[in-house]
Amino acid sequence: MTIIGRNKPALGHLLDRRALLLAGGQGALLAALSSAPAFAAPKFLDDPFSLGVASGDPAPDGFVLWTRLAPKPLEAHGGMPAEAVAVGWEVAEDDAFRRIVSAGTAIARPELAHSVHVEVEGLTSYRRYWYRFVVDGIRSDTGTARTAPAAGAQLDRLRIAVAGCQHYERGLFTAWRDISQQPDLDFVYHYGDYIYEGKAAGPSAESKVPVVRRHTSDEIYSLDDYRQRYALYKSDPDLKAAHAAAPFLSSFDDHEVENDWGGDLDSSSTPPEVFLLRRAAAMQAWYEHMPVRRGQFPRGNAIQAYRRLDFGRLMRVNILDKRSYRSIRLCEKPGDGNCVDTRDHPDTMLGETQERWLGEGLAGGSTWNVLGLGGLVMPFDRSAQKVPTNGYDNWTGYPDARERLVRMIADRGLKNVVIAGGDSHMFFIGDLPSRRGDLESPAVASELHATSISSNSSNGLPIGPDPRLATNPHMSMIHDQRGYLLCDVDAKKWTASVRVVDQAFKPGGVVSTLARFVVEPHRAGVSRL
Ligand code: FE
Ligand code: CA
């Protein structure tokens, strides 16, 4: 099945656009297609869409569609021949595909693990669509996505989920199942740790925390290693269901590459030029497996992941890269590699260019300004912990950067900044204080820090009232349970529901709302409902 696209060709399409322009018009398009090289047409004995479908980064006129052909997901090259394959795609106004409004062909290339990224354009703003792929007469699952509202449109409401940290071995993806069942989601912000890079857990790991299923390889380093790890995670039916249910705004944290990496340094003592080879492999695999746009295509050994998405006048989302540009980390403990004991220059979390870009985008005009950030931004007094930790991998280790962020918000007089993220494997809901060293100073922003889908925390404190709340007056909740944040946002208030899973070790975990918090756009800070 080949459908002539009414949209722009997908990235890397073989058509020569200049030749088309010279020849002019639709007739030339048909002629060019018929003379284009024939693509391989493999016969599939296994489902080529084993990793599901996804959509991402909605705009007023479209979104990204994603899939990857992998009939044998854990085998080399996903079981695909080393040839380019044409994949058809369709977008419809109804889930039965009676009214198809856009369709085309994209090329799944071996260079990109036979992944497909289609940037659909020309759709109606703030409307729900359904999409699917087809190859060799086999149809993929159907996914659904809503386009963003038109620029400047007054919009009543948005419903979004904030989730991440999905260690495959440490728990089932029950929370993803719950997200997939939430009606009418506009998007999921994924704050990273989509995969974990470690080797398969051995018997000794079991003594500390349950291992519910295992990684299938040693620690990952090569591009094929990373591809196979994504394939393992993406084979999970609950994660596939979540992707099919809503567009994702994807970002990465550390475990997409290596624990606690930053800039061109890992957390061991690997020379930077060697680590950059691993980072390049990891970044390419991230691009291949995420529903992101051409702007996030790997260039050199890096990806520009930071970007802005507007949802009418209701919300501006700044997806931030908190890993690629940060200054060298402070040593968490003696013997750490690639770290310093003190700094001799002001630290940075976002790097100068991204920080300036963020400041330019925080100019106002939206009811809500969202900062998509991993790593707890609020200061955190840990004196009540039995096992003291520093938390230098988050903003506590970057105090100058935090101070500049606070001032950036305060100088603009913004009260509507919501910091959304995760990384701690615990919920932290609270206020970012406006004065350094004064936890009780007025809030400058609200922070909604989600827990983890399945990754366990290592703080060693029991579930229940957290003793650390006593010394952190700016925080409204610290809570250690798996889950995510579900947010209902309108022009008057932002309501965040803390969704928790009763247990993630066996199928049938029950997800419920533990608490609700409210933020108002004219007053920084959260209050409990
Ligand atoms: Fe994590
Ligand atoms: Ca992390």
Side-chain angles (χ1 to χ4, degrees):
M1 160 173 176
T2 302
I3 304 162
I4 310 299
R6 275 187 277 142
N7 279 289
K8 262 197 225 161
L11 178 76
H13 200 288
L14 285 183
L15 294 180
D16 181 346
R17 290 166 57 77
R18 200 183 28 170
L20 285 180
L21 284 174
L22 285 172
Q26 277 288 328
L29 178 64
L30 285 167
L33 269 179
S34 58
S35 65
F39 297 106
K43 293 279 152 210
F44 292 99
L45 300 175
D46 300 286
D47 180 11
F49 300 110
S50 64
L51 305 182
V53 298
S55 66
D57 282 20
D61 70 336
F63 32 68
V64 180
L65 301 182
W66 175 94
T67 193
R68 179 189 158 196
L69 303 181
K72 295 185 187 298
L74 298 183
E75 290 187 6
H77 314 299
M80 287 294 290
E83 293 175 283
V85 176
V87 183
W89 56 270
E90 299 173 311
V91 175
E93 289 180 344
D94 61 310
D95 59 355
F97 290 83
R98 288 197 188 89
R99 297 187 306 278
I100 294 175
V101 293
S102 192
T105 304
I107 309 305
R109 298 182 180 284
E111 293 92 332
L112 293 169
H114 294 98
S115 63
V116 171
H117 296 77
V118 179
E119 295 191 24
V120 183
E121 295 174 341
L123 303 182
T124 303
S125 60
Y126 204 52
R127 192 195 196 291
R128 181 164 295 285
Y129 291 93
W130 285 262
Y131 64 90
R132 66 188 177 192
F133 295 90
V134 62
V135 70
D136 186 29
I138 301 166
R139 279 190 183 136
S140 71
D141 289 344
T142 295
T144 182
R146 181 154 52 205
T147 49
Q154 293 285 3
L155 172 71
D156 295 339
R157 49 161 298 279
L158 283 171
R159 174 163 246 226
I160 64 182
V162 178
C165 286
Q166 49 198 57
H167 199 301
Y168 184 80
E169 300 186 313
R170 298 304 182 186
L172 301 175
F173 292 173
T174 311
W176 279 128
R177 172 65 49 179
D178 191 66
I179 290 172
S180 77
Q181 292 166 347
Q182 292 299 336
D184 222 23
L185 269 186
D186 285 281
F187 65 82
V188 175
Y189 165 52
H190 195 297
Y191 50 79
D193 288 358
Y194 194 101
I195 56 164
Y196 282 75
E197 80 285 8
K199 66 179 179 187
S204 63
E206 202 107 42
S207 59
K208 291 179 215 138
V209 274
V211 174
V212 303
R213 49 189 177 175
R214 281 186 158 75
H215 287 158
T216 49
S217 66
D218 216 328
E219 181 155 346
I220 54 179
Y221 286 92
S222 73
L223 178 53
D224 279 339
D225 291 347
Y226 281 101
R227 287 169 170 168
Q228 194 206 51
R229 189 59 57 88
Y230 277 103
L232 177 68
Y233 279 55
K234 280 188 161 282
S235 299
D236 181 277
D238 295 334
L239 179 57
K240 281 197 277 191
H243 274 296
F248 274 42
L249 274 50
S250 303
S251 63
F252 51 77
D253 193 21
D254 52 341
H255 291 286
E256 280 86 352
V257 184
E258 190 261 355
N259 182 44
D260 284 0
W261 72 278
D264 54 5
L265 298 173
D266 69 5
S267 62
S268 325
S269 300
T270 309
E273 67 274 19
V274 176
F275 172 66
L276 283 176
L277 298 174
R278 183 185 194 182
R279 196 184 86 172
M283 288 291 158
Q284 180 174 337
W286 181 82
Y287 172 79
E288 289 170 351
H289 292 85
M290 294 298 127
V292 290
R293 292 181 182 270
R294 266 163 253 201
Q296 281 66 58
F297 192 84
R299 284 183 180 84
N301 55 25
I303 280 177
Q304 188 186 311
Y306 64 85
R307 58 202 192 272
R308 263 192 273 284
L309 292 94
D310 284 319
F311 293 83
R313 292 179 59 184
L314 186 59
M315 187 185 293
R316 164 165 281 192
V317 185
N318 301 276
I319 303 289
L320 297 164
D321 179 344
K322 59 271 183 188
R323 286 283 160 196
S324 301
Y325 315 104
R326 59 167 72 181
S327 43
I328 188 167
R329 66 200 191 108
L330 290 174
C331 300
E332 192 77 26
K333 54 185 185 324
D336 277 359
N338 283 337
C339 60
V340 291
D341 291 314
T342 53
R343 297 186 189 282
D344 50 4
H345 294 292
D347 55 71
T348 181
M349 183 64 105
L350 302 175
E352 213 177 304
T353 306
Q354 183 179 196
E355 204 170 292
R356 200 179 325 113
W357 169 89
L358 176 61
E360 288 159 8
L362 273 184
S366 290
T367 305
W368 298 99
N369 276 296
V370 182
L371 309 188
L373 269 174
L376 194 65
V377 183
M378 289 184 282
F380 179 29
D381 181 310
R382 295 158 193 259
S383 54
Q385 275 181 197
K386 288 192 199 94
V387 185
T389 52
N390 292 316
Y392 286 155
D393 184 55
N394 62 46
W395 289 70
T396 293
Y398 296 82
D400 304 324
R402 179 162 61 199
E403 186 62 16
R404 287 196 302 277
L405 182 67
V406 166
R407 278 207 309 272
M408 182 191 289
I409 298 166
D411 288 352
R412 286 162 176 75
L414 295 171
K415 308 283 183 194
N416 62 0
V417 174
V418 174
I419 301 169
D423 167 47
S424 309
H425 307 169
M426 285 184 288
F427 290 102
F428 286 90
I429 311 291
D431 304 347
L432 177 60
S434 51
R435 281 198 299 274
R436 197 172 192 160
D438 182 359
L439 298 179
E440 293 185 273
S441 57
V444 72
S446 315
E447 185 161 9
L448 305 172
H449 188 84
T451 180
S452 58
I453 292 288
S454 58
S455 310
N456 56 290
S457 75
S458 53
N459 72 85
L461 290 164
I463 292 176
D466 197 300
R468 292 170 295 186
L469 267 179
T471 55
N472 286 284
H474 57 307
M475 292 190 186
S476 301
M477 173 183 258
I478 305 174
H479 185 74
D480 186 359
Q481 225 179 333
R482 311 291 64 78
Y484 69 99
L485 287 167
L486 180 65
C487 302
D488 289 290
V489 185
D490 61 35
K492 295 230 166 60
K493 61 184 190 307
W494 178 311
T495 308
S497 301
V498 174
R499 299 284 290 167
V500 294
V501 190
D502 62 345
Q503 56 79 25
F505 305 126
K506 300 190 299 285
V510 176
V511 185
S512 60
T513 297
L514 179 69
R516 282 195 174 89
F517 294 89
V518 171
V519 186
E520 292 170 314
H522 54 83
R523 194 166 61 88
V526 301
S527 41
R528 193 167 180 145
L529 257 187

